[in-house]
Amino acid sequence: MARIFIDDGFRRYEQTGYGQLARMVIRALHEHSRYEVCVAHDRSRSVPHGASRPETFAHLPSCEEGWDATLRIGSPAPLKTSGKPFLYYTQNALGGLRSEWAQWLAQADTLIVPGEFDRSVFERHHDHVHVCPQAIDAEFFVPVPSYRSEGAEETSYLFVGSFGYRKGTDLILPAFARAFADGAPVHVHLQCFSGLNGRAFTDLFARARNFPRNIRVSFGSDSLSLLWMRRHLNRHDAVFTLSRGEGWCMPLWEALHSGLPTVAPASTAMAEYLPRWGTEFIETREVEIASIPDPAAASLVRQYGEDGITLYEPDLNDAARALRQIYESMAERKQRVRARRGELVSAFGLDRMAEALSGAIDATLARCRATSRG
C-alpha cells in the first residue's frame, strides 16, 4: 500500500478555504481509498473546534516514517521536490495564469484542480491536470431552523469572504440599492475575514450610514469558528456573492448544505457546479485585468495584470434582479433546497472525492514508474 504525504503547510488546523480542503482531502483518502495517509504534525495545534472526526487528524502516521508520493494543497508556490512523485492541488479562478505560477507548477508531476474551468487554464501550461471537485463537511453544515430567530426580522442576506475588488464587495451596496429601491425592508450582513480594516472599514461604514433606510447593513471583520459559522449561516435566509471569479466558493456550498438558497455570478466553478435549483445566477462578461481603470482594482492589477489574464465582471443590473427575484420567492426556494440537500451530499461526498483523487494518484504513480524504468 502506497503512502501519500499530505503536504498542507498545516492548513488543516486553520479555518480557511484551503484548511477545509485539506481536512476533506485527508478524510477522503483515509476513509475511502486504499492509500495510507501521512502528515507533518504540530502537536501544539488541533483542527478547528466543530470539525467532524477530529480524532482522525490526531492519529495519522507521521511523514517522518517515510512516504511514496507527495500531495501538496495550497496556492502555487516554489517547489522543493524530493525526487518522489509530486501532485499539487490548487486553484486559480481567472482566465489566465501568472507566469511565475506556471514556472513553479511545471515542477510538479500532476496538478489537481476543482473543476473544468481551472483545468482549461492550467492545461495551457501543464500536460497532466486532473479534476477533483471539493467536498463539504455534510455532517456539520446542516439546517438548524431554530437559529433563524436569532437573526434579523427582515429578510436577511449574508456575504462571507474577504473584502476586496476580486470578491466584488464594491458591487454589493449598489446592487442592493437597485434591487430594493421600492422601499422593501431587507437586511444585508457582510462577514469579512480579511480586508475590512482601516480605510476600507471607514468607507464602508460611511456608505452604510447614508444608505436607504429600508436596507439595513451590518458587518463583521473577523473569522468565525466553525461552530459560529454554522450558527451564523442559519440566522440568515440566503447567501450571496458578487465575486469576479471563484475556484470553488466554499461559503455558498456551506449555505446550500445548511438549506439556504444562493446568488452567484455565472462564471468559473460557480457556473460549473452550483445547482440551478438552489442558485440564482448573474450574467457576467470577461474583462482583461490589465485594462481595469478603477483605483480599487490597483492591487489586483499589480498582482495579475499580465497579458491575457481575465476576470468575470458581474452585470450590476442583473445582480439586482437576482437578489430581488429570490426575495420574492424565498420561502419556496428554502423549502426546495432543504428537500434536495441529499443530492448535494451524494454528488459531493468524500467517497466521490476519494475516487477522483485516487485516479490522479494512480495515473501519477504509473507514469513515474514507467519513466524511471525507461
Side-chain angles (χ1 to χ4, degrees):
M1 177 171 56
R3 173 177 282 194
I4 310 301
F5 169 38
I6 306 299
D7 176 15
D8 66 347
F10 301 110
R11 290 179 177 85
R12 65 188 178 278
Y13 300 126
E14 301 170 356
Q15 180 48 30
T16 63
Y18 273 123
Q20 172 80 337
L21 173 59
R23 291 190 293 276
M24 294 296 99
V25 166
I26 289 170
R27 282 192 55 198
L29 290 175
H30 179 72
E31 298 172 18
H32 298 278
S33 83
R34 66 182 183 279
Y35 291 111
E36 183 179 15
V37 172
C38 66
V39 297
H41 286 284
D42 181 346
R43 297 299 182 184
S44 68
R45 304 169 71 183
S46 58
V47 296
H49 186 50
S52 298
R53 315 289 175 88
E55 69 282 354
T56 295
F57 305 97
H59 298 133
L60 290 170
S62 170
C63 62
E64 295 177 359
E65 302 169 17
W67 68 92
D68 300 298
T70 298
L71 171 53
R72 176 177 286 185
I73 300 169
S75 297
L79 305 186
K80 291 183 180 179
T81 59
S82 63
K84 298 175 181 178
F86 196 104
L87 300 90
Y88 210 132
Y89 194 138
T90 190
Q91 57 192 35
N92 178 53
L94 295 172
L97 199 62
R98 292 172 57 186
S99 56
E100 65 177 0
W101 284 16
Q103 293 170 9
W104 296 337
L105 294 172
Q107 299 175 58
D109 296 294
T110 297
L111 304 182
I112 304 174
V113 295
E116 293 295 340
F117 174 85
D118 264 347
R119 171 148 68 178
S120 69
V121 173
F122 282 90
E123 279 185 333
R124 300 174 204 162
H125 308 277
H126 203 288
D127 292 333
H128 304 286
V129 185
H130 289 250
V131 169
C132 174
Q134 296 186 25
I136 311 301
D137 191 342
E139 299 173 51
F140 183 81
F141 287 102
V142 296
V144 187
S146 61
Y147 289 156
R148 180 61 187 88
S149 63
E150 300 175 358
E153 292 183 4
E154 312 97 320
T155 297
S156 189
Y157 293 79
L158 173 66
F159 166 81
V160 180
S162 60
F163 189 88
Y165 189 85
R166 184 168 178 179
K167 294 294 183 179
T169 53
D170 57 304
L171 303 174
I172 292 174
L173 296 188
F176 274 92
R178 296 188 189 190
F180 298 96
D182 63 346
V186 67
H187 172 240
V188 185
H189 183 80
L190 282 64
Q191 189 63 42
C192 302
F193 48 76
S194 66
L196 188 54
N197 47 42
R199 183 175 178 180
F201 180 87
T202 303
D203 290 348
L204 178 63
F205 185 76
R207 282 185 288 149
R209 286 189 63 184
N210 296 318
F211 218 49
R213 289 178 178 266
N214 64 298
I215 306 174
R216 189 164 62 88
V217 181
S218 61
F219 35 84
S221 59
D222 55 358
S223 181
L224 298 177
S225 69
L226 276 176
L227 290 170
W228 270 108
M229 191 68 247
R230 177 173 64 185
R231 194 177 195 116
H232 207 48
L233 284 166
N234 279 281
R235 288 175 170 177
H236 298 271
D237 296 301
V239 178
F240 72 95
T241 184
L242 302 182
S243 174
R244 294 175 165 99
E246 289 288 337
W248 188 251
C249 203
M250 189 67 73
L252 296 188
W253 288 97
E254 293 169 351
L256 290 165
H257 278 71
S258 301
L260 303 180
T262 59
V263 177
S267 73
T268 56
M270 297 179 287
E272 192 174 333
Y273 286 117
L274 289 170
R276 297 199 172 274
W277 48 259
T279 304
E280 189 66 32
F281 285 105
I282 300 165
E283 295 177 1
T284 65
R285 61 186 176 87
E286 191 171 13
V287 175
E288 187 153 353
I289 292 175
S291 70
I292 299 173
D294 191 336
S299 176
L300 184 72
V301 172
R302 284 194 299 272
Q303 190 173 7
Y304 295 98
E306 298 181 26
D307 289 345
I309 301 183
T310 57
L311 52 67
Y312 300 86
E313 184 70 22
D315 181 272
L316 193 57
N317 286 328
D318 201 50
R321 175 205 58 78
L323 293 167
R324 185 60 187 241
Q325 192 153 325
I326 69 163
Y327 175 88
E328 301 293 349
S329 55
M330 190 68 75
E332 175 190 343
R333 288 169 184 264
K334 290 171 76 170
Q335 183 178 17
R336 184 193 313 149
V337 172
R338 290 176 184 177
R340 300 185 68 168
R341 179 180 182 273
E343 297 177 31
L344 298 179
V345 175
S346 176
F348 299 98
L350 291 174
D351 56 340
R352 296 290 185 91
M353 187 180 216
E355 182 179 358
L357 290 170
S358 296
I361 295 169
D362 289 347
T364 302
L365 294 178
R367 193 173 66 252
C368 290
R369 282 194 297 267
T371 301
S372 64
R373 286 197 299 268

